[in-house]
Every structure is written in structure tokens, then in C-alpha cells.
Amino acid sequence: MSSKETWMRQIRAEIGVVAKADGSAMFEMGNTKVVAAVYGPREVQNRSQQLNANALVRCEYTMANFSTGDRMRKLKGDRRSTEISLVIRQTMEECILTNLMPRSQIDIFVQVVQADGGTLSACINAATLALANAGIPMRDIVTSCSAGYLNSTPLLDLNYIEDSAGGADVTLGIMPKLDKVTLLQMDAKLSLDTFENVMQLAIEGCKAVADYIREILLENTKQLQYRRGT
Amino acid sequence: MAFESRTNGFLHIVYSEMVGLSIGEKYFIQGGIAQDLRTDGRKRLSPRPIFVETGNISQSNGSARVRIGATEVIASVKAELGRPSALHPDKGKVSINVDCSPTAAPMFEGRGGEELSSELSVALQRCLLGGKSGSGAGIDLSSLAIVEGKICWDLYIEGLVVSSDGNLLDALGAAIKAALSNTGIPRVNVAAGASGDEQPEVDISDEEFLQFDTSKVPVIVTLTKVGRHYIVDATSEEESQMSLAVSISVNRQGNICGLTKRGGAGLDPSVILDMISVALSVSERLINTLDSQRAAAEAGKDEL
């Protein structure tokens, strides 16, 4: 299938946008722009949460007031933000080798600058890049993409208008090398066959993002080598 | 201890906590400033280069992203129809709100950034919006009126601090000025013949936009005193060593639009006049830089 429904929006990423963070990245999927910053591994701030055998992974998702079409009243800690923070934390925790950094804390902060559908996917992709930039050991990168089903057609990478149209929205996160699904979310209903098609489409999208992310990381490493003079 | 911190202002606490400096490093910073050679090689009155990008938030009426060293801020301007206040029926309304993203520092997580955000918001309001009556505002509020007493434009200016390495107020001031110059207010056609208390019907054009006039909008220059000297455009390390800071907002005509002093240390009145003249020259260069970057950006867009 190479018709327009299976095209992703343009993706663009940049590493190291927050100089003071241990690792950071900016990820854009179409008009959705997200900045992720990683602080850690560092000393646990709240001793009662310290884990003796693993690193503690924490995550906060925030949306800027101006990120959506209607200006929103700032609700930090509202239910949607809390849920998305939890989802991102669980997804990234899976791929970080937390047993290598016991009694430490890794903070992942994700800030949505502009939201136009697929914010969760963009956040996960940005977090992956930021963790890699921070040099935190991971099993594999995690990439994410969304797909939907409108007018009897599977669509890849929905924007806000398509997402609000009432069809299904499947968000998928995979670890491409290990070929494992770490995140799967869907709302609305789909028949099993349709779901398989849509999920397959989302997996293709995730793999495309993974290729792009690897390119960015390779380019970044070459830059570092060049600056070291090797 | 808590009382001392209060008078020093919250910014001082923020930077002391964010930056862990050893005693040797502190002396190095203070000594360098005393000898007119700061840690990054700048002179006391040299600012870092500033990079401005406008129009990055397509959903807003105007937006800008400003980078000064490692400090990065985004400003967005949204215009919505509203009702003028009863005290000023011929003026629109502007509200300025700043948010510190946790990406800039882990201590801004949850509600940790609230105090700093409100301090920055209030300082920007004081510099840009003038007194309580709205007179002397850098932004011309009467240009936002549509139908006197009934309909006006409400401008919501939002600032977001993405990354912080000192001098947040100046960066936000520059970002807001750039975002306002990028702002297009849609043309409004008012249906004629509305009487008395009725709300007139308005038709907002999707195509015609009026560029907002920003010639009177001031920029903010902050002078930070470290030891016996003051510096322009402090990094967060330098700010952690400050005794006081004076932020002065100046417009293109060279008029002072606002002045804020933070920090408990005392300041000789003659020094304030000195600082103001430094701020005037620095602000002139800053305004020129902002204008030339905007002109270059627009020329680039025209070429496309």
C-alpha cells in the first residue's frame, strides 16, 4: 500500500535542545512539537521512594497553555496529564536497564509545545532520544506511532482533526530490534480483522520512526567524534 | 535563614539550588567579574548573542522563540473577542502569563515552578502594561477596541521557559516583543445598526490580518550586581552570586517604561542612574538586533 492514507506526517528531531539537562531532544510529527528533557541518573530526592535494586524512573507530562487550538486554563496535574505521565513512565521504564543504576533516580520531563494529534507518540519518541542523549543504558529504543480507521480506510499518523472525527485511534509503541510491543492503546471499536490491519500499519509507522531516530543518533555520534578529533 | 531568602527574592534561591558551586568556583566567578573578564570571556557589559525565530506556533496569532546562550523561551500571543471592562470601555485587555517548564529544571516539577512563574509574570506586566489605569502601557490598548463598551480584543500573552541559563526576564521580554510583532489581528467587520444594549454581530475575517504595531513595546535589560560591579546578561552561575538585580524596560524612543529591583542589598542612588544609562545603550543594541533578525526572517519568507 503506498497510497496517501499510509503516509506519515513529516518528522523532525533535534538532540540537545536543553543544554542544562543530562539529555534532551525535540521531536516534531507534523504540527505536533514536543520537548523532552532527562535528568539523571542522580540521587533520589525522596528517600522513601528509593529502590535498592533498581533506578527509580519518574515522568511528568505537561502541555503549554498555547499548545492547543483553544487556549486552555492551566491545569497542572489534571487527570489526562497524570494518565499520560504514567503511560510514558511505564513504557520507558521497560526499556531502561534500571538494574544497572540502583538507588538512583531518572527524571523524564516532557513538554508539549504544540499539539496536533499523536502527542503521546511524539512524547515517547522524544523521550527515547533524550534518554539516548543522556547516555542512559537501554535494552532497545522505543518508537511510537498512531493509526486510525476512518471511512473504511486505515490511516497512519492521525492529526487532531482526523482524531476527533470519531473513528478508532490506535497508539502503538514498539522496541524495533527486539520486535516487541510495549505500548498498545485504542479507543472506539474495531472488528478484529480491521484491528489487525490498523495495528500492522502502526507497526510500519513505528519502524519508519525507528529508522529516522537511528539516523539522528548516528549523526549525533559522528558530530561528537568529530569534536573529539578522532 | 528563611527571612533572608525572602528578601533576596525567589530567583536567587532558584539559582543557588540549581547550581552547585564550590567555594573556589564562586571566587573565580566573582574575581573574573571584578577584572572585567567573565567565565565565558565576555566583558561585564557584553550580552550573549540572541537568536530569534518567529511564527513557530502556527495555532497562535503570533509567536516567537528566543535563545540567549542556553536560555530558551517561547512566547505566544492569542487574540480572542471579549468585553471591555466598565472602567475602560474604549480599550482592549491584555494578560501576560509565564510558565516554567520542568524541562528547564527538575525543581519546576509539579507546582515547584509556580513562585518563579508568578514573579516573572508580574515583572513583565509591570514593564509592558503600565499602571492600573492602563496609561503608559507599552502596548496600545485602544488599538484593541472594536465596539466601544461592547466588544474588544483580549490578548493572551503566554510565555514558556524551556531551558534556563540566566537572564529569563530579558529573554521573555524579547520573545514577547518579537511575538507581538509577528501577531496578526484578524480584521473585524461590525454589523451596522446595533442599538443600545444589544451585542452587535461581528464577522471575523479569515484572510485579512492587521499587523500589530510594536514600535512602542519596550525591551527589558537586567543588570546584576556581583560583588562591587554589575554585569549585563548574567548566566545562572553568575546569578547565584548576585546581591541584587535591577531590571529596566526601555523602548525605542529611549524612554524608561518600568523598573524593578530585586534583592535585599542596598544600592547607592547615583549607581542607579549609572545603571540606567548602561541599560539605555544595551537596549538600543538589543532593539536593533531584534528588528534586524525579524527583517531577515521576513525577507527569507518572502524569498520562499
Side-chain angles (χ1 to χ4, degrees), chain A residues 4-227:
Chain A
K4 285 222 175 106
E5 292 85 30
T6 60
W7 285 13
M8 280 184 68
R9 293 177 290 180
Q10 181 165 43
I11 44 182
R12 200 173 82 85
E14 213 179 297
I15 298 189
V17 291
V18 178
K20 296 234 138 194
D22 293 318
S24 60
M26 187 272 298
F27 202 88
E28 283 179 42
M29 289 171 95
N31 277 336
T32 299
K33 286 189 183 80
V34 161
V35 173
V38 168
Y39 290 87
R42 56 191 194 125
E43 196 174 325
V44 178
Q45 307 290 294
N46 189 351
R47 269 296 166 82
S48 59
Q49 292 178 335
Q50 186 173 289
L51 300 169
N52 280 333
N54 293 77
L56 174 70
V57 178
R58 292 164 74 246
C59 177
E60 183 169 320
Y61 165 93
T62 38
M63 292 185 83
N65 276 351
F66 47 78
S67 57
T68 53
D70 316 308
R71 194 185 57 92
M72 19 183 271
R73 252 320 44 204
K74 184 56 163 214
L75 291 165
K76 244 185 181 171
D78 68 315
R79 302 257 287 268
R80 182 175 170 271
S81 298
T82 317
E83 201 232 324
I84 298 185
S85 304
L86 183 69
V87 169
I88 298 177
R89 179 175 71 74
Q90 285 174 339
T91 312
M92 303 322 293
E93 205 169 20
E94 266 316 295
C95 77
I96 297 176
L97 294 166
T98 51
N99 56 310
L100 293 182
M101 300 161 286
R103 290 185 283 279
S104 70
Q105 174 175 317
I106 299 174
D107 286 318
I108 307 173
F109 297 116
V110 185
Q111 172 79 46
V112 176
V113 173
Q114 203 173 333
D116 186 25
T119 38
L120 179 57
S121 298
C123 288
I124 288 176
N125 296 330
T128 295
L129 275 171
L131 286 166
N133 184 223
I136 289 179
M138 297 195 278
R139 286 189 180 86
D140 193 359
I141 57 175
V142 183
T143 60
S144 172
C145 193
S146 66
Y149 192 71
L150 271 183
N151 288 348
S152 316
T153 330
L155 291 175
L156 182 58
D157 194 14
L158 308 169
N159 67 16
Y160 182 73
I161 300 179
E162 290 164 343
D163 202 3
S164 323
D169 173 18
V170 176
T171 304
L172 192 77
I174 64 168
M175 294 201 270
K177 266 257 163 62
L178 297 176
D179 212 10
K180 289 207 153 68
V181 173
T182 56
L183 166 72
L184 180 55
Q185 259 186 1
M186 185 181 97
D187 48 36
K189 51 183 199 266
L190 284 180
S191 75
L192 217 48
D193 303 317
T194 322
F195 174 71
E196 274 188 55
N197 286 341
V198 172
M199 191 168 122
Q200 201 48 49
L201 190 57
I203 291 178
E204 300 290 322
C206 290
K207 293 207 168 124
V209 174
D211 289 336
Y212 179 71
I213 284 184
R214 282 202 198 97
E215 240 177 73
I216 294 279
L217 288 172
L218 196 56
E219 183 59 44
N220 190 48
T221 310
K222 284 188 184 152
Q223 283 283 323
L224 293 171
Q225 271 187 316
Y226 174 70
R227 276 186 232 149

Side-chain angles (χ1 to χ4, degrees), chain B residues 222-270:
Chain B
T222 301
L223 294 160
T224 310
K225 186 152 187 260
V226 177
R228 299 214 326 254
H229 305 270
Y230 48 87
I231 53 176
V232 167
D233 191 13
T235 62
S236 51
E237 283 182 354
E238 292 167 335
E239 277 181 358
S240 70
Q241 301 307 303
M242 76 172 187
S243 52
L244 61 93
V246 178
S247 299
I248 304 166
S249 78
V250 188
N251 65 12
R252 178 174 275 287
Q253 286 75 35
N255 303 77
I256 299 176
C257 305
L259 202 146
T260 315
K261 175 193 167 289
R262 294 192 308 276
L267 192 56
D268 202 278
S270 57

Side-chain angles (χ1 to χ4, degrees), chain B:
Chain B
M1 206 54 204
F3 179 67
E4 276 177 331
S5 312
R6 233 352 32 192
T7 54
N8 270 333
F10 193 68
L11 264 178
H12 179 74
I13 304 176
V14 168
Y15 288 121
S16 306
E17 276 180 31
M18 272 166 61
V19 183
L21 292 178
S22 66
I23 299 198
E25 284 171 302
K26 289 179 191 169
Y27 283 156
F28 191 77
I29 294 173
Q30 288 164 9
I33 289 173
Q35 293 183 44
D36 205 12
L37 182 63
R38 295 154 72 172
T39 37
D40 51 9
R42 285 186 284 153
K43 290 193 165 314
R44 283 196 287 263
L45 303 180
S46 309
R48 288 170 284 186
I50 181 170
F51 296 103
V52 181
E53 206 183 285
T54 53
N56 45 314
I57 313 274
S58 42
Q59 287 155 336
S60 301
N61 294 77
S63 59
R65 177 176 150 202
V66 164
R67 248 184 316 128
I68 305 182
T71 296
E72 186 169 327
V73 303
I74 298 178
S76 142
V77 179
K78 277 216 167 108
E80 284 174 17
L81 288 180
R83 211 185 161 79
S85 79
L87 294 167
H88 306 286
D90 59 338
K91 294 199 161 96
K93 308 202 287 290
V94 177
S95 82
I96 303 183
N97 185 47
V98 174
D99 189 29
C100 294
S101 169
T103 54
M107 63 177 286
F108 296 153
E109 190 186 350
R111 301 181 67 165
E114 255 177 36
E115 215 173 308
L116 178 60
S117 304
S118 24
E119 192 174 323
L120 290 168
S121 305
V122 165
L124 286 166
Q125 279 164 8
R126 190 177 299 138
C127 288
L128 297 170
L129 295 183
K132 289 205 173 79
S133 63
S135 63
I139 299 170
D140 182 14
L141 296 176
S142 25
S143 66
L144 296 174
I146 302 173
V147 176
E148 186 166 324
K150 293 194 188 153
I151 307 182
C152 69
W153 281 115
D154 285 341
L155 280 191
Y156 294 99
I157 304 181
E158 310 275 354
L160 177 71
V161 176
V162 175
S163 170
S164 165
D165 190 21
N167 213 14
L168 291 176
L169 202 53
D170 297 14
L172 284 164
I176 290 177
K177 183 171 163 72
L180 284 170
S181 67
N182 178 243
T183 300
I185 309 274
R187 188 185 287 282
V188 180
N189 297 319
V190 187
S195 61
D197 295 324
E198 279 175 24
Q199 278 292 98
E201 284 193 20
V202 288
D203 170 41
I204 304 179
S205 161
D206 275 335
E207 264 131 67
E208 290 176 48
F209 288 88
L210 304 164
Q211 250 358 78
F212 200 76
D213 172 30
T214 56
S215 52
K216 298 209 181 62
V217 178
V219 291
I220 305 176
V221 176
T222 301
L223 294 160
T224 310
K225 186 152 187 260
V226 177
R228 299 214 326 254
H229 305 270
Y230 48 87
I231 53 176
V232 167
D233 191 13
T235 62
S236 51
E237 283 182 354
E238 292 167 335
E239 277 181 358
S240 70
Q241 301 307 303
M242 76 172 187
S243 52
L244 61 93
V246 178
S247 299
I248 304 166
S249 78
V250 188
N251 65 12
R252 178 174 275 287
Q253 286 75 35
N255 303 77
I256 299 176
C257 305
L259 202 146
T260 315
K261 175 193 167 289
R262 294 192 308 276
L267 192 56
D268 202 278
S270 57
V271 177
I272 297 186
L273 294 174
D274 220 8
M275 284 175 142
I276 291 178
S277 64
V278 168
L280 286 173
S281 62
V282 173
S283 65
E284 202 183 311
R285 272 184 278 149
L286 178 57
I287 292 180
N288 288 337
T289 312
L290 288 177
D291 286 342
S292 63
Q293 289 219 7
R294 177 164 54 95
E298 266 159 39
K301 279 184 203 149
D302 290 337
E303 275 169 29
L304 291 171

